[in-house]
Amino acid sequence: MDKPVSALHLAASGMRAQSERLRHTAENIANIDTPGYRRKLVTFEEATRFGRPTGEVEASKLRLDRSDLPRIYDPSHPMADKDGYYLGSNVDLVIEIADSREAGRSYEANLKMFEQTRQMGASLLELLRR
């Protein structure tokens, strides 16, 4: 595979991975007040084809944050136990906002790389036509 096409594949894989990260971050934020909800974590790994690394990135299996769920006192809550407590969500809004900003900026960087590679290819074709 030639370098410009390879660069396009690399940038596209980065955008796909960051898009998935943004989706899970949005799910976490949406479920911040859902009792018993565990934060979803996304990590990245190098993609392989036919057992060989490609240099592209992909999101690995989804994992759940196994940190302790907070006990919330609210005797009127339908899920409260006999002592008036129920298990809340382990999602921290500040962390999720920071993660979403980081993923968004990384997505934008990959998009910029994709656009620049495409422009270079178009410029090369224009030079070859002359």
Side-chain angles (χ1 to χ4, degrees):
M1 189 180 308
D2 60 342
K3 299 298 180 194
V5 173
S6 179
L8 289 173
H9 284 285
L10 292 174
S13 74
M15 288 189 290
R16 275 191 304 274
Q18 294 300 338
S19 174
E20 186 166 337
R21 183 178 175 199
L22 277 169
R23 185 171 54 86
H24 290 302
T25 302
E27 287 177 18
N28 289 341
I29 291 172
N31 288 293
I32 198 165
D33 290 328
T34 303
Y37 181 82
R38 291 193 179 273
R39 178 177 179 235
K40 294 179 181 178
L41 302 171
V42 177
T43 55
F44 302 128
E45 58 189 31
E46 188 174 10
T48 58
R49 276 195 198 101
F50 308 114
R52 301 183 70 191
T54 63
E56 297 177 13
V57 67
E58 64 184 8
S60 65
K61 281 187 169 181
L62 182 68
R63 294 181 303 122
L64 297 178
D65 184 353
R66 292 293 174 192
S67 63
D68 292 335
L69 296 175
R71 287 176 40 110
I72 300 171
Y73 181 74
D74 184 1
S76 65
H77 195 278
M79 295 182 73
D81 60 13
K82 64 181 182 332
D83 297 326
Y85 289 93
Y86 69 94
L87 296 177
S89 169
N90 65 354
V91 176
D92 183 352
L93 184 60
V94 174
I95 291 173
E96 296 305 319
I97 290 173
D99 281 353
S100 68
R101 284 187 178 172
E102 182 182 342
R105 287 190 177 126
S106 182
Y107 184 93
E108 289 171 3
N110 280 296
L111 181 60
K112 191 72 162 172
M113 181 181 155
F114 189 90
E115 289 171 351
Q116 288 176 345
T117 303
R118 214 183 66 191
Q119 287 175 355
M120 286 176 18
S123 297
L124 178 62
L125 286 175
E126 186 62 34
L127 285 172
L128 292 174
R129 285 184 190 149
R130 291 180 185 184

